[in-house]
Structures are given as structure tokens and as C-alpha cells.
Amino acid sequence: QTPHTQTDRRAIFECLAEARQRGYSIVDQEMLVGEISIAAPILDYAGTPVAAVSIPVSTTRWSVKSVQKTLAPHVLDTARAISRACGGLTAFYGS
């Protein structure tokens, strides 16, 4: 845990709902101070998460907004491609 780690149960469920809707999750210094991380699930043929693609970046060079704008499309595209290769043909909404 860091001072930024979300521990409120309601807030965690809200973050999970947002991640489900966007298709990726982003954390700002919750695992490591000075790091923003974005991740998207790799889904199997049944749509069950079996792994993830993640990109951690430094807060000295990136902001949450810039990570969302620049890296989110790459994380999603990569996770979709791997999911399809693993048999997850309906891996993501709209893919």
C-alpha cells in the first residue's frame, strides 16, 4: 500500500465499474509511489479474464490524462489481439 492506495470498499467497486465500462483499469501511485499503471484484461473464449496487459510509467513524465489519451488505445488493441489469438473472438465489446 501507498498513501494513494484506495481502500474504501464503495470507491473500489466504483473503480471496478468504470474499468469494466472502459475496458481498462488505471491506477495512480496505488501500487508504487511515482508510478501510473494502465492495464487491460486478456479474455478466453468464454470472456473470462485469464491474464492482463499492463504498462507502468513514471509520474515524472506522464499524467493520468496523458496515459489515458496515449496509452489506453495501445493497451486495448494489444489485449484484444492476444484475446483473439487465445480464442476469445468476442473478447471485447465492439471488437
Side-chain angles (χ1 to χ4, degrees), residues 5-53:
T5 302
Q6 185 56 256
T7 58
D8 178 73
R9 187 178 182 102
R10 175 175 265 153
I12 291 170
F13 281 112
E14 288 174 10
C15 289
L16 286 171
E18 287 176 19
R20 231 180 254 117
Q21 183 179 12
R22 289 189 308 231
Y24 65 87
S25 176
I26 190 162
V27 293
D28 183 8
Q29 303 185 73
E30 290 190 46
M31 295 294 291
L32 182 64
V33 173
E35 177 184 273
I36 298 169
S37 186
I38 184 168
I42 296 170
L43 308 175
D44 68 8
Y45 66 93
T48 303
V50 294
V53 173

Side-chain angles (χ1 to χ4, degrees), residues 5 10 19 36 58 61 72 82 89:
T5 302
R10 175 175 265 153
I36 298 169
S58 172
R61 293 185 172 200
I82 295 170
L89 299 177

Side-chain angles (χ1 to χ4, degrees), residues 67-85:
V67 167
Q68 289 174 315
K69 181 179 178 184
T70 306
L71 299 180
H74 297 292
V75 168
L76 287 169
D77 288 346
T78 302
R80 285 183 185 122
I82 295 170
S83 294
R84 284 191 191 103

